[in-house]
Every structure is written in C-alpha cells, then in structure tokens.
Amino acid sequence: MTDSAPLDGQPAALPPQPPAVARTSPPEVPEAPPAGLWDRMREDPQYAPEHLALEAVRRLGPEAAQWAARVRAEQPAASPEALADQAVRKFVNHARLSGAVSGAAGLPGAVIDVGVLAWTQARMVLHVAAAFGVDPTQPDRATDLLVLQKVHKVAESARLALGVAAGRERAGALFGSGGQNPLGKVMVRLGVRLAQMAGVRAAKRVFAKVVPGAAIILGTWANSSATKELAERSRALYRQHGGTVPGQRRP
C-alpha cells in the first residue's frame, strides 16, 4: 500500500512517530577513595583513618566549598539547616549503596566497602560544614572528622595522630615503605580501622564472617544508620558556627 499523494500542494503528513522515551541519567553512586590513598592506608593501616581524613580535606574540601557557593547562589533564601538537609539526604543515600560498590568477594571486598563508606561519610561532614559557613578546606576539618567519627575522643589526640600520619606520609614519599607485612594481616587491620571510622561497631564480627569466595556487603540499614548518627553530630558541631567567618578557628 502506497502513501496518499499530497493535496493542494500541501506536504504529505509524516507517519506517526513512536512516543519519545524520557532520557534518564544513571543514578549517582558513591565514589571510592583514590588509589593513592589506598596505597598509603595499606602501607600504614594503624593510621588509616588519619590518612583518610587528611586526604578528604585536601580532595573533598574544595568540592564541598564549591557546592555550598553554588547552592547559595541558586537558593539565596535557603537557610544553613536547609542546605545541610540537602547534603545529608544525598550522602545517606550514597551510604546505602556503598556496600555494593566494589563487587569484590571476601576480605578485600569487605575492606573496600568500609573504605567507601568512610569516604562517603567524610564527604558528608565536609558538606555539612560548608552548609553552615565553616570552611571545609581548613586543616582543622581533619581533626573534626576524626572526633565526629569517634576515632579519637578529643581534638588534641586527633591532632597529634594527624601529625604522626602526615609525617609518615612524607617519609613514605621520600623513602618508600619499609618492611611489608603479610597482606592478609594488613587487610584485617585496615578493615577494622576503617570500620571503626565508619561507625561499624561490629567490625570484628563482620570480618570474622569472611570466608574464601563469600562476598561481604555491609547492610544498607547499618550504613545509613551510622551515617545518620554522624550527620546529627556534625550538625550539632557546625551549628555553633552560624554567623562566624568561614574557616575561623574555634577557641
């Protein structure tokens, strides 16, 4: 059957087109810590949380500051609490996904999962700081991270540990790592330290379950619960800074 000829010089009608399919962007997934950070943490697992906090401020602090500036420009009437709400919702959702990022089985997969969770939580804390007008790029934010994530009870011990980690980082860059510990022992220690930072209190029990060929995925409830608790502590800390100059040190 042929198409009918156009009438009175009018162009022929186009055949019906299928309905347009809405294009959707892929869902955001939590970002894993950079490879260089993994190397430092694996070589120095005792200070893994300190290495992560230092790198988070260096790498994620500027991102958080840019985010806050952009959102304030787009939503000038939004309060610091509203901006913090946006950041918390985003990164709690990321935390729920963090246990499925690696796709790796056994102990390596478990270590990667808790590392991604700790990195996601650090990103959230820095965004909450920026929401309340606190400079997320200042070195003091690394101290905040370690206290908020309960790696250290007080800021003084956190600062001391960060100084040690920074010194070991510089020494490693100059001279390379020293003796290599057995990989399995290093991974267990690294995993437990990162799990402690991420708020996974049953870290030893989690890693005791690791058997060859079995994937360990942190439960989404445990991830989001720990991250929500951290969000509340972060709000309480940075809410005190309302109206202060970004980056101003606390007395």
Side-chain angles (χ1 to χ4, degrees):
M1 182 176 180
T2 59
D3 294 336
S4 59
L7 301 176
D8 299 328
Q10 296 298 319
L14 294 175
Q17 299 295 317
V21 177
R23 300 183 65 177
T24 58
S25 56
E28 284 191 84
V29 295
E31 178 184 320
L37 173 59
W38 279 117
D39 291 340
R40 289 196 297 276
M41 294 193 299
R42 188 176 61 250
E43 292 166 1
D44 193 19
Q46 179 181 355
Y47 288 92
E50 287 78 12
H51 289 302
L52 191 147
L54 288 168
E55 185 67 17
V57 173
R58 284 193 292 254
R59 185 176 292 258
L60 303 179
E63 169 198 291
Q66 292 167 11
W67 166 81
R70 185 183 70 252
V71 175
R72 286 194 186 99
E74 295 171 350
Q75 306 171 35
S79 66
E81 292 284 354
L83 299 187
D85 283 342
Q86 294 179 34
V88 170
R89 282 196 302 269
K90 176 178 180 179
F91 294 111
V92 167
N93 287 335
H94 281 198
R96 291 192 181 102
L97 296 173
S98 62
V101 168
S102 70
L107 182 57
V111 173
I112 293 172
D113 289 344
V114 291
V116 171
L117 178 57
W119 187 250
T120 298
Q121 291 178 344
R123 176 179 262 121
M124 179 191 69
V125 171
L126 294 173
H127 277 67
V128 171
F132 283 99
V134 179
D135 189 345
T137 67
Q138 288 293 313
D140 280 351
R141 301 295 82 76
T143 302
D144 294 345
L145 283 171
L146 294 176
V147 175
L148 286 167
Q149 293 179 289
K150 298 186 176 181
V151 177
H152 294 278
K153 293 183 178 179
V154 295
E156 288 73 13
S157 63
R159 291 191 187 100
L160 178 61
L162 285 166
V164 173
R168 291 160 79 102
E169 181 180 309
R170 290 190 293 270
L174 288 172
F175 306 113
S177 59
Q180 294 294 328
N181 292 320
L183 181 59
K185 182 178 179 180
V186 168
M187 293 294 280
V188 169
R189 181 184 296 179
L190 175 57
V192 169
R193 290 291 285 157
L194 289 175
Q196 175 192 4
M197 186 178 194
V200 184
R201 295 175 178 81
K204 293 183 179 180
R205 186 177 63 199
V206 168
F207 287 99
K209 294 180 180 178
V210 177
V211 295
I216 298 297
I217 303 253
L218 295 177
T220 58
W221 180 87
N223 286 6
S224 61
S225 176
T227 306
K228 287 176 181 177
E229 291 175 7
L230 175 61
E232 289 307 308
R233 294 195 296 272
S234 302
R235 286 175 185 274
L237 174 64
Y238 294 123
R239 193 177 285 123
Q240 304 171 30
H241 294 263
T244 62
V245 178
Q248 179 178 342
R249 295 176 64 94
R250 295 187 299 279

